[in-house]
Structure formats: structure tokens, C-alpha cells
Amino acid sequence: MAAGQATAIAPANIAFIKYWGVLDSELTLPTNGSISMCLDRCTTETHVRFEEGLDRDEVLLDLYEGVERPAEGRAYERVVAHLDRLRAMAGVNLRARVRSRNSFPADAGIASSAAAFSALTVAGAAALGLNLSEQQLSVLARLSGSGSACRSIPDGFVEWINDGTSTGSYARSIAPPEHWQLCDIVAVVDVGAKQIASEAGHKLAFTSPYFPVRLQEIPERIERARRAILERDLATLGEVMEADAISMHTVAMTTRPPAFYWSAGTMAIIQAVRRWRDEGLACYFTIDAGPNVHVLCPVESAAEIEARLCLLPEVQFTIVNLAGPGARVVKVS
Amino acid sequence: MAAGQATAIAPANIAFIKYWGVLDSELTLPTNGSISMCLDRCTTETHVRFEEGLDRDEVLLDLYEGVERPAEGRAYERVVAHLDRLRAMAGVNLRARVRSRNSFPADAGIASSAAAFSALTVAGAAALGLNLSEQQLSVLARLSGSGSACRSIPDGFVEWINDGTSTGSYARSIAPPEHWQLCDIVAVVDVGAKQIASEAGHKLAFTSPYFPVRLQEIPERIERARRAILERDLATLGEVMEADAISMHTVAMTTRPPAFYWSAGTMAIIQAVRRWRDEGLACYFTIDAGPNVHVLCPVESAAEIEARLCLLPEVQFTIVNLAGPGARVVKVS
């Protein structure tokens, strides 16, 4: 086929029930299912163009402020490996120019790899003329190594299911974005904080004595979270989501060596959210593998809660999200 | 016997391996053994005087600044119940005047009940002319309901052992204070913060799915901590102590309902201690059922670490302790 190009947009997602622990790191098969929401305001736009005459892939990252930087080292290699996967499927040998831009600050500590690799998957596949189902795209995004990228393919509220095989480990939509006007407010407390790579965390999980207990808890949490989403039951979703976040960080803090993702600001928000809830304000926290806190609340109280979050001295800025669409092609030629 | 009086001083103690979970709350029998150090700078001095003509016990608390306040409510009742225990043993019916004073701010959030009830036990027994062994005093202090009070009876580095009976649940010294010049720096972050009573925490522990795992971990930790103390091996003691503190708070955060003792300041110190250690400074954290952090370090680096702690904006003040003697009578008549 001829050289093609395409642009895709894909969202970051916030997990209500976390992916933590990898069974097979070659295939990125997780130890457990997970449930998430696509974030409408935290997206990556990626342009992929396969060209004659390039002797290597070129990957440019636009770091939010219009400053472009070539991807390097491990980040570059992961992109190339993923392009190789797509090229192999299409039987194409051309190198590509990739340009990627986030809608949110790159140093915000928001896990952006899910958005990045789902956008790359969808743009790359479109540019190569591959006609793939949502399930196939989700499997492919997962194989990038950023497992949660598979959850950024479908729309809205999403579940990552697993049957033990690679083709059976993919995400599907539980409900579309418009099903529920639920807000996820990202409260950024540590801009540019050094992170412990979640890749390492997924492998270390097995060294925690609490990990087997967590795995036992997950199936019931998945059931409860799925039902709570379908019934728009924030109290149940919030309770289950907080318990799962604590359980994930409990595992992280008890691995050998332990991983402490929380900072002072993390704890300040956890305590504030609990206090506000005691005051009657419906809001619930969750925390990924980093210090920032996501606060879930009904859209009606988002302004109030965002204002309160911004008054906390530890909070640098916030991003208010609703559920959004999954990865989609916006231009192809 | 005639009316008598006595004054005793007793230390607070910091647990390296925590007491968390009560098997029998009537007898205050713990789910697990624990190991601690008596703090030489955090003490309670208690005067008890049994008198003719009093129709009720009088309990005055001197709140550090010379301001005296009568004990009220549950606090008062616990003192009276403990005096009743002592009176029953001595066959004495007289009411008492109790006056108690802490060497540290009452609002510092330092668990002061261990110091208070061990001082009350020793002063009360002496005032009544009871001739009790250290073991008997430790059992008695435990029966006050503040279980860890039993660890404030013996000197220095202490282990609370259990054989399943009440008389076999007491603390004994592992090593005297002069065995090891180890510093415990209390970093107070939340003065007067509202606490979740640890009494409630001990009962709730069983609702955490992680509690059984914690209990399995304890025996090996006890062994390692005891040996580390005997060998003055701070690296091992520190590692085991941090793991145990995280494990206790993991249990607390996963009970139903969950108990979050940590504040922003707690997390700031945890992260700082880990950073300083990466820089080569030997220091380790532990946290009781509250937000304050205890930092363990060799006496040689205590000044440096105290200075660094005081530079953290979240730290209000510090108290530097060495291992101290247990409860002792200072005056009897």
C-alpha cells in the first residue's frame, strides 16, 4: 500500500478499580480486571505519517507549550516497538514520523502513557489502512506495554476484561459518556515530581504479603463498581473506589522495596475529601501511581469542590473532567 | 493499713513493633506481642494520696503549663476503675487524691495514656503499701485498659510478651537504657489534632482483610527487632520498624470504617526521612495512632536530623528522647 497518514485523539483514563500487578509482562496481561472512566479534558492528539525515504522513525513530543522535543531512550524505543507491531500487521516496512501533543501539562504527573499509546495505536492503524475492531485496537493498545492504554480505546465508562489469553484481554464500554455526568477533578500537588515507574510497581506487587488479599477482593469490587456505574450510584462507586485505591497503595507500600507514591499534598487532599464528605458534600478520592489525587463528584458540586481544592495550599492546579469518548481518528489521508 | 501517699514517674514509650488489635478488651489481652523503648523526655509524674473523709476520688491533671483541670467523663472513670483495682488488692476502702503532670505538652498528640496509667499504677500501689513485682505491676498497668502502659513499667528496651493468660501478659526489659544511645525524635505536626481513639482502632482491626496477614508477619518481626536491639543494629531495627508501622496503618486504613491517622505533615516526614536516608543519613520513621512521626537515629546525628525536621514547614516542634528508665517511685510516705 502507499504511504498514509492519520491523526487520532485519545483520552487518559482514571481507574476506579486499579490495574496493579502484571502476570505476563511480555503480553501485558494483568493479574486482575479493572474499571475506569475516559477523561474528556486530558487527551493526547497524535499524528502518524508513514513515509518513503526515512531510515528511522521520528518521534516528536509537543510538551503542551508548543516546545517540541524528540522522544529519547526507552520512550522512543517503546514507540518504535509499537510501530513495528502495526507494520507487521499491515505488512508495511516504511518508517514513520510521529508527532504527539497533550492537552494537559506534561509535568502534571498525570499518567499520560495510556492516552499516548492508545492515540498512537489508533492513528498508526488508520495510517496503515488497517481495518480493526474496537476489541482488536484495545488488545493492540495493551500490547504497547502501557496496559491501561487498552482502557482508553472504548468510550465513557470502561471495563478491562480478561480470559487469560491475549486476544481476550481488552477493554469494552460499560456505559457511554453521556450516561452519567460524573466529574473527575484532578488535583495536581507535585508538578514534575519524580515518579516510581508503574511498570516496576506492577512487577513488584507480588513481593507484598498483602497482594494475594487484594486479588481476592477485586472480583466483588468489579461487580459493585460496574453496577454502581450502571445505576449512577456515586455513594457505592465512591466507597468501592476509595477502598480499592487504598488497597493498591497498601500493596505498593508493602512491597520489597516499598514504593511510597503519596506526598504531603496527597494526604492533605485525602483528609480534606473525608472532611467535606462528613459535612455532606458527596466527593470521593482515588490515587494512581503518583502523588496527585482525583476527586470524583457530581457535576453539580464540581465548582464548589474545585474551589475548595484550590484553596488547599498543597494544590497547584486542577483539571475538571467529565466522562469522554475513547480514542478516535480525527483525520486520515 | 493507714492512709498513704506516693509519687511515681513513668515514661511514655514508642513501639517499634506495634500493639494493634485486642483479643479480650475486658482484660486488654492483645492479638500480638510488641516491642518498645521507654522515652526519657516524655514522662508523667503522678502523686496519689489515699485519705480519710473523701467521698469520691479527686483527679487533677496539670496540663504542662501549671494549669490544673479535674479529669472528667471517661478519663475520670478509667482512673477510678484503676484505683478500685488497687484498693481491692490492698483491701482498702479510702478514696484518693490524684495529681498528674506531664513533662510534655498535653496537646502534642503523644500517646500519654501509657505514661499516665503506668505512673498511676506504681504510685497507687506504693501509696497502698502493696509489695508487687515488676511483672505484677506490668500486668496491673495493662489492666487499666491502656494496654501499652504495661510497656512503660520496665526499663529501657522492652518486650510485651503473652502466653494467653492475664498474668502471663506483661512487659519485660530486653536491655537497659544505657545499652544503646538511640534517639527517638518526636516530630509534632498536628498540635491538638482530633484523634481516632486507639481503643476503637484495636477493636476495629479485625474488620480489615489485611489483619490476618499482619498477624502472620509479627512473630518474625519481633524476633528480628529483639535481636537488632541486642546487637545495636539500627539498619535492621529501622527496616523492621518501618515495615511494621506501615503494616499497622495499612490495617487501620482498610478497616470498616477506615481510620486515616496520617496528615500532610506525616507524609512530608515519611518522604523526608526516606530522602535523607538515600543521602546516607541513618534515620527511620514510625507512627503511632496519630499524625506525629517518631524518627529513630543514632545519638551522633540527632542534632542534624532534629534541625532538618524543624525546617520542614509541617513540623511544629520536636522532642528528642533517649531510652529511659521505666516507671519508678520517687517519693513515698
Side-chain angles (χ1 to χ4, degrees):
Chain A
M1 62 156 282
Q5 58 181 310
T7 304
I9 294 183
N13 66 74
I14 178 67
F16 302 148
I17 310 296
K18 308 288 187 196
Y19 157 43
W20 198 247
V22 65
L23 266 187
D24 181 327
S25 54
E26 285 301 307
L27 296 173
T28 316
L29 292 177
T31 48
N32 59 275
S34 50
I35 286 188
S36 61
M37 177 176 117
C38 291
L39 303 180
D40 73 339
R41 297 277 300 280
C42 297
T43 59
T44 298
E45 181 176 324
T46 298
H47 177 77
V48 179
R49 176 179 173 149
F50 290 91
E51 285 185 31
E52 307 277 356
L54 285 179
D55 59 356
R56 70 192 291 273
D57 293 313
E58 278 180 16
V59 182
L60 276 181
L61 307 175
D62 180 328
L63 302 169
Y64 188 64
E65 300 293 313
V67 184
E68 291 197 324
R69 195 190 61 185
E72 290 170 349
R74 177 111 181 83
Y76 175 77
E77 287 161 21
R78 286 180 65 187
V79 171
V80 172
H82 201 51
L83 289 169
D84 286 343
R85 225 168 256 125
L86 294 163
R87 280 187 282 252
M89 290 180 78
V92 165
N93 220 347
L94 300 175
R95 302 294 104 183
R97 285 186 207 272
V98 175
R99 179 169 290 180
S100 193
R101 184 174 59 189
N102 287 340
S103 71
F104 52 94
D107 61 356
I110 295 161
S112 54
S113 64
F117 279 100
S118 55
L120 179 66
T121 302
V122 168
L128 290 167
L130 289 167
N131 189 16
L132 302 175
S133 67
E134 182 183 279
Q135 176 176 341
Q136 288 172 310
L137 287 168
S138 182
V139 167
L140 256 178
R142 191 201 83 229
L143 287 168
S144 71
S146 173
S148 56
C150 76
R151 293 193 313 240
S152 286
I153 299 289
D155 291 338
F157 300 88
V158 168
E159 179 174 356
W160 179 359
I161 57 169
N162 291 278
D163 70 359
T165 70
S166 181
T167 48
S169 178
Y170 64 97
R172 62 186 181 194
S173 186
I174 299 172
E178 58 276 16
H179 167 70
W180 193 5
Q181 289 225 299
L182 188 63
C183 272
D184 176 71
I185 309 180
V186 189
V188 175
V189 293
D190 279 334
V191 170
K194 209 199 290 177
Q195 305 254 345
I196 306 150
S198 43
E199 243 183 317
H202 287 302
K203 290 182 188 170
L204 272 181
F206 294 89
T207 67
S208 163
Y210 296 152
F211 189 54
V213 183
R214 167 168 170 76
L215 291 183
Q216 281 174 16
E217 298 169 334
I218 298 272
E220 194 204 330
R221 286 209 192 112
I222 294 268
E223 287 303 316
R224 292 188 68 202
R226 192 196 303 115
R227 202 174 334 125
I229 288 169
L230 291 173
E231 295 171 359
R232 301 184 194 87
D233 173 358
L234 178 56
T236 299
L237 180 62
E239 184 199 316
V240 139
M241 177 183 79
E242 288 191 353
D244 191 70
I246 295 299
S247 154
M248 175 202 133
H249 285 272
T250 280
V251 168
M253 287 189 277
T254 54
T255 54
R256 289 166 191 231
F260 289 83
Y261 292 102
W262 298 354
S263 69
T266 313
M267 211 62 227
I269 301 175
I270 289 178
Q271 296 289 11
V273 164
R274 290 171 53 85
R275 212 161 50 232
W276 299 339
R277 201 156 70 220
D278 284 347
E279 294 169 14
L281 211 50
C283 53
Y284 298 86
F285 64 82
T286 188
I287 310 137
D288 276 347
N292 299 328
V293 182
H294 292 246
V295 180
L296 217 65
C297 67
V299 70
E300 297 77 21
S301 46
E304 166 74 14
I305 289 170
E306 191 198 10
R308 289 185 182 211
L309 283 169
C310 290
L311 283 175
L312 296 177
E314 294 88 353
V315 173
Q316 317 250 330
F317 61 91
T318 58
I319 306 174
V320 182
N321 297 274
L322 286 167
R328 65 275 183 194
V329 174
V330 289
K331 203 169 144 194
V332 60
S333 63
Chain B
M1 63 155 282
Q5 59 181 313
T7 304
I9 295 183
N13 67 74
I14 178 66
F16 302 146
I17 309 296
K18 308 288 188 195
Y19 158 43
W20 198 247
V22 66
L23 266 187
D24 180 328
S25 54
E26 286 300 308
L27 296 174
T28 317
L29 291 177
T31 49
N32 59 276
S34 49
I35 286 187
S36 61
M37 175 175 117
C38 291
L39 303 179
D40 72 339
R41 298 276 300 278
C42 296
T43 59
T44 298
E45 180 175 324
T46 299
H47 177 77
V48 180
R49 175 179 172 149
F50 289 92
E51 286 185 29
E52 307 279 354
L54 286 177
D55 59 356
R56 69 192 291 275
D57 294 311
E58 279 181 15
V59 182
L60 277 181
L61 306 175
D62 180 329
L63 303 170
Y64 188 65
E65 301 293 312
V67 184
E68 292 198 322
R69 193 190 64 185
E72 290 170 348
R74 176 112 181 83
Y76 174 77
E77 287 161 20
R78 285 180 66 187
V79 170
V80 172
H82 201 51
L83 290 169
D84 285 344
R85 226 168 256 124
L86 294 164
R87 280 186 282 253
M89 288 180 79
V92 165
N93 221 346
L94 301 174
R95 302 293 105 184
R97 285 187 208 272
V98 175
R99 180 168 289 181
S100 194
R101 186 174 58 188
N102 288 339
S103 70
F104 52 94
D107 61 356
I110 296 161
S112 54
S113 64
F117 280 100
S118 55
L120 179 66
T121 303
V122 167
L128 289 167
L130 290 167
N131 189 15
L132 302 175
S133 66
E134 182 183 278
Q135 176 175 343
Q136 288 173 310
L137 288 167
S138 182
V139 167
L140 256 177
R142 190 200 84 229
L143 287 167
S144 70
S146 173
S148 56
C150 78
R151 292 192 312 239
S152 287
I153 299 289
D155 291 338
F157 300 88
V158 167
E159 179 173 357
W160 180 358
I161 57 169
N162 291 278
D163 70 358
T165 70
S166 182
T167 48
S169 177
Y170 64 96
R172 62 185 179 193
S173 186
I174 298 173
E178 59 276 16
H179 167 70
W180 193 5
Q181 287 224 300
L182 188 64
C183 271
D184 176 72
I185 309 179
V186 189
V188 176
V189 293
D190 279 335
V191 169
K194 211 198 289 177
Q195 306 256 345
I196 306 150
S198 43
E199 243 181 315
H202 287 302
K203 290 182 187 169
L204 272 179
F206 294 89
T207 68
S208 162
Y210 297 152
F211 189 52
V213 183
R214 168 169 169 75
L215 291 183
Q216 280 173 16
E217 298 168 334
I218 297 273
E220 193 203 331
R221 285 208 191 112
I222 294 268
E223 288 302 317
R224 291 188 68 203
R226 193 195 303 116
R227 200 171 338 121
I229 288 169
L230 291 173
E231 295 172 0
R232 302 183 192 88
D233 173 358
L234 179 56
T236 300
L237 180 62
E239 183 200 317
V240 138
M241 177 183 79
E242 288 190 354
D244 191 71
I246 295 300
S247 155
M248 174 202 134
H249 286 273
T250 281
V251 167
M253 287 189 279
T254 53
T255 54
R256 290 168 190 231
F260 289 83
Y261 292 102
W262 298 353
S263 69
T266 313
M267 212 63 226
I269 301 176
I270 289 178
Q271 297 288 12
V273 164
R274 289 170 53 85
R275 212 160 52 232
W276 298 338
R277 203 158 65 221
D278 286 346
E279 295 169 13
L281 212 52
C283 54
Y284 299 86
F285 64 81
T286 188
I287 310 138
D288 275 346
N292 299 328
V293 181
H294 291 245
V295 180
L296 218 63
C297 66
V299 71
E300 296 76 23
S301 45
E304 167 74 15
I305 289 171
E306 191 197 9
R308 289 185 182 211
L309 284 168
C310 289
L311 283 175
L312 297 176
E314 293 89 352
V315 172
Q316 317 250 329
F317 61 91
T318 58
I319 306 173
V320 181
N321 297 275
L322 285 167
R328 65 274 184 196
V329 175
V330 290
K331 203 169 142 192
V332 60
S333 62

